[in-house]
Amino acid sequence: MNTAPAKRQRSRAFLTVFLKEVKENLRDRRTLISAFLTGPLLGPVIFVMLINITLNRELDKAEKPLPVPVIGAEYAPNLLDALRAGGVVPGAAVADPALAVRKQDADVVLRIASDYGKAWRKGEPVQVELFYDSSQRDANTSVERVTRLVESYARQQGAMRLVARGMSPSTAWPLQVARRDQATPQSRAVLMFAMLPYFFVITIFMGGMYLAIDLTAGERERQSLEPLFANPVPRWKILCGKLAAIGVFSTTSLLISLLAFAVIGQFIPAEKIGMELDLGVHFAAYVLLLMLPLVLLLSALQSMVAAFAKSYREAQTYLSLLMLVPIIPSLLLSFMPIKAQAWMYAIPLLGQNLGIMQLLRGDGVSAGQIGLCLAGTLAAALVAILATIQLYRSERLAISA
């Protein structure tokens, strides 16, 4: 009996399944919107818009006239003049300064004691009070601005007192600290874009999620998985065809996202606050290289999790919970800053996170770090694929009930 046609049929199974799933899901509006519009296009636009709003708000508070309620303004007219010269607009006094800042009626309130003038004339130390709420992030720029002006005025007046007594102003400061900030304009951008690696991971996840659900739980619910398994084709080839289709959608989603950031990122006024941001071709190429093995890993995990579900909706619930896992490395690096070690690049998700952060800082990623990242993630992807193959060998997978 000639088995050559059967062998050729089995060898084409991977390509057949791949093309079938891609063509069918290209007609699925929900899959297309999730993979090519919502995450990769709208995501970068919203992300950049939020960054621009934050930067513009900080620039406004750092440069534009700043209204500050002042209690006891009549006791320190010279201090008020110094504040006006720095762009502060003294406002009417408020009855309860603590309540005013808590209710966000004012970012900061300045209170000058009634004995200010008497202590000043005696050459005694005087004190002014700044009321603010440190839990209000929007107020931090205003507080720092007023504090800097008050302290500058204090140093200036202290120097004048020493000169009036025939002493050098440097007498009061026998020790001076020279601060040498080694941060580059590009490395400072990391502070604002710390969640960008997580965004890329979620873009990959969303790009293939609905496809992974439809190709496993969806077909199981429609009872079309059993006829597919009835073909004389190894199930691992069927799985590989499905994984390839999911990977194509996820990779395309990532490419669209990288292109969107490269274009929209040019409209971020990072240079106005001393930052430099490069999201161009060089950045995109390295991100794509770091993320490609993660595409395979997430595709396998999504397929494996969806295989446990008996319905489309149940698979959505499971994968929504799985979506929380990629945020863990970003949270760890945000709340527990650590020095990157070589072995960390071999950990999936964490390695990609560290690599992208280095790219944002302008430090670059070495060949060794890239190799560890690729090897570690590919090894995890292989384990996930083997586990999913075992699920595909189960006859219960084709049963919807």
Side-chain angles (χ1 to χ4, degrees):
M1 181 177 179
N2 188 5
T3 60
K7 290 182 179 179
R8 285 197 297 270
Q9 182 182 3
R10 286 195 295 269
S11 65
R12 292 196 299 266
F14 165 80
L15 184 59
T16 302
V17 173
F18 168 73
L19 293 176
K20 166 186 171 294
E21 306 299 3
V22 169
K23 290 178 180 178
E24 287 183 356
N25 281 275
L26 283 176
R27 296 191 292 266
D28 187 345
R29 185 178 302 175
R30 177 170 46 187
T31 302
L32 291 178
I33 291 176
S34 173
F36 304 144
L37 181 61
T38 305
L41 280 181
L42 294 183
V45 172
I46 295 174
F47 188 88
V48 171
M49 283 179 60
L50 292 175
I51 292 294
N52 275 323
I53 291 172
T54 303
L55 288 178
N56 289 329
R57 185 177 299 175
E58 290 185 2
L59 288 172
D60 287 345
K61 292 189 175 183
E63 297 175 357
K64 291 187 176 180
L66 175 65
V68 175
V70 180
I71 303 172
E74 65 275 13
Y75 303 127
N78 293 333
L79 173 60
L80 269 293
D81 289 340
L83 293 176
R84 290 191 186 95
V88 172
V89 180
V94 294
D96 189 340
L99 181 62
V101 296
R102 282 201 300 269
K103 293 178 63 178
Q104 301 185 44
D105 294 333
D107 289 344
V108 57
V109 176
L110 177 64
R111 183 164 71 180
I112 302 172
S114 57
D115 61 347
Y116 180 95
K118 184 184 296 184
W120 186 272
R121 287 188 291 273
K122 290 182 179 180
E124 298 175 352
V126 294
Q127 186 182 64
V128 297
E129 296 174 280
L130 289 180
F131 291 84
Y132 65 95
D133 185 351
S134 60
S135 65
Q136 303 293 341
R137 292 185 58 186
D138 289 345
N140 290 340
T141 302
S142 301
V143 173
E144 292 176 2
R145 184 176 176 183
V146 175
T147 301
R148 186 169 59 252
L149 289 172
V150 172
E151 290 178 348
S152 177
Y153 175 78
R155 287 193 297 269
Q156 180 186 22
Q157 295 301 313
M160 292 177 64
R161 286 184 179 183
L162 291 173
V163 172
R165 289 166 173 77
M167 301 174 63
S168 172
S170 60
T171 304
W173 294 280
L175 179 64
Q176 294 184 346
V177 178
R179 302 175 63 177
R180 313 294 187 199
D181 188 359
Q182 301 303 301
T184 64
Q186 191 167 353
S187 66
R188 282 193 288 269
V190 175
L191 300 175
M192 188 165 293
F193 292 87
M195 293 302 293
L196 193 58
Y198 173 70
F199 183 88
F200 288 135
V201 175
I202 289 301
T203 298
I204 294 173
F205 195 99
M206 293 297 297
M209 185 177 76
Y210 287 105
L211 191 63
I213 295 174
D214 185 70
L215 300 190
T216 308
E219 289 195 357
R220 187 179 187 183
E221 189 174 23
R222 295 190 299 269
Q223 298 183 353
S224 60
L225 201 58
E226 186 174 0
L228 181 62
F229 284 170
N231 289 293
V233 177
R235 293 191 180 182
W236 68 267
K237 289 190 176 182
I238 296 176
L239 173 62
C240 289
K242 292 178 178 292
L243 290 179
I246 298 171
V248 166
F249 274 71
S250 297
T251 304
T252 304
S253 181
L254 176 62
L255 287 171
I256 295 173
S257 178
L258 290 171
L259 178 61
F261 270 112
V263 175
I264 302 174
Q266 299 178 18
F267 297 96
I268 300 176
E271 67 282 352
K272 291 184 179 180
I273 56 174
M275 294 182 182
E276 182 181 334
L277 187 65
D278 181 12
L279 300 178
V281 176
H282 180 269
F283 175 80
Y286 274 98
V287 171
L288 181 62
L289 178 60
L290 292 171
M291 288 294 184
L292 279 179
L294 197 60
V295 170
L296 184 59
L297 173 60
L298 291 179
S299 299
L301 288 176
Q302 288 174 327
S303 299
M304 180 171 60
V305 172
F308 286 100
K310 295 182 179 181
S311 66
Y312 196 101
R313 183 168 295 182
E314 185 180 354
Q316 279 184 304
T317 302
Y318 293 162
L319 289 182
S320 296
L321 295 175
L322 181 64
M323 196 186 302
L324 299 176
V325 175
I327 200 174
I328 295 176
S330 296
L331 290 177
L332 286 175
L333 294 178
S334 297
F335 295 102
M336 300 174 57
I338 55 176
K339 182 179 179 181
Q341 305 293 328
W343 59 268
M344 295 180 182
Y345 289 89
I347 300 177
L349 294 175
L350 180 59
Q352 281 78 13
N353 198 299
L354 291 173
I356 294 175
M357 295 296 284
Q358 284 190 219
L359 292 172
L360 286 173
R361 290 177 58 89
D363 296 338
V365 187
S366 68
Q369 292 167 341
I370 294 176
L372 285 172
C373 187
L374 297 180
T377 307
L378 285 174
L382 179 60
V383 172
I385 291 173
L386 292 176
T388 310
I389 288 175
Q390 293 300 318
L391 286 175
Y392 265 62
R393 288 175 177 171
S394 173
E395 296 301 326
R396 290 180 297 179
L397 181 63
I399 303 174
S400 60

